[in-house]
Amino acid sequence: LHKEAELNRRARKKISAYDFEPLSIIGRGAFGEVWICRHKENGEVVAMKKMKKKEMLKKNQVGHVRAERDILAKAKIPWIVDLKYSF
């Protein structure tokens, strides 16, 4: 029962940017930066895009950013990266 409760607790835990260790920056853009990060628990290496929300709002680009997120989440094409997390 203890192991089952532990698994259920992990499944309910919300993931955040603080669950990743930044390794190096690989790009900068108009709204933020792209970092290579490692997940602290399982060691998975991912690219994380950190964006400045104030800049997106100021330049009225929220719709474009949401469209990009939706495309990455739904695309199942080998040459387009998979969206693993969004927060």
Side-chain angles (χ1 to χ4, degrees):
L1 288 174
H2 181 68
K3 287 184 180 182
E4 184 178 352
E6 177 79 21
L7 289 172
N8 287 337
R9 200 172 304 114
R10 284 186 186 172
R12 287 190 309 264
K13 181 182 178 266
K14 288 193 175 191
I15 196 161
S16 73
Y18 300 110
D19 294 323
F20 294 88
E21 172 191 354
L23 300 175
S24 67
I25 190 166
I26 60 173
R28 291 189 185 185
F31 304 126
E33 304 167 333
V34 178
W35 286 80
I36 295 291
C37 298
R38 178 176 288 127
H39 194 274
K40 290 179 182 176
E41 286 186 16
N42 62 18
E44 178 183 26
V45 176
V46 298
M48 180 183 295
K49 188 174 189 178
K50 292 184 177 183
M51 295 184 278
K52 299 174 188 167
K53 292 180 183 175
K54 285 184 179 182
E55 290 294 318
M56 288 187 298
L57 291 170
K58 191 165 89 173
K59 295 179 181 179
N60 199 23
Q61 296 292 311
V62 176
H64 293 102
V65 173
R66 286 184 188 256
E68 178 186 7
R69 183 200 60 196
D70 293 343
I71 289 169
L72 292 175
K74 294 177 184 174
K76 300 296 180 215
I77 303 169
W79 58 86
I80 296 179
V81 296
D82 294 334
L83 178 68
K84 301 219 180 229
Y85 308 105
S86 179
F87 38 82

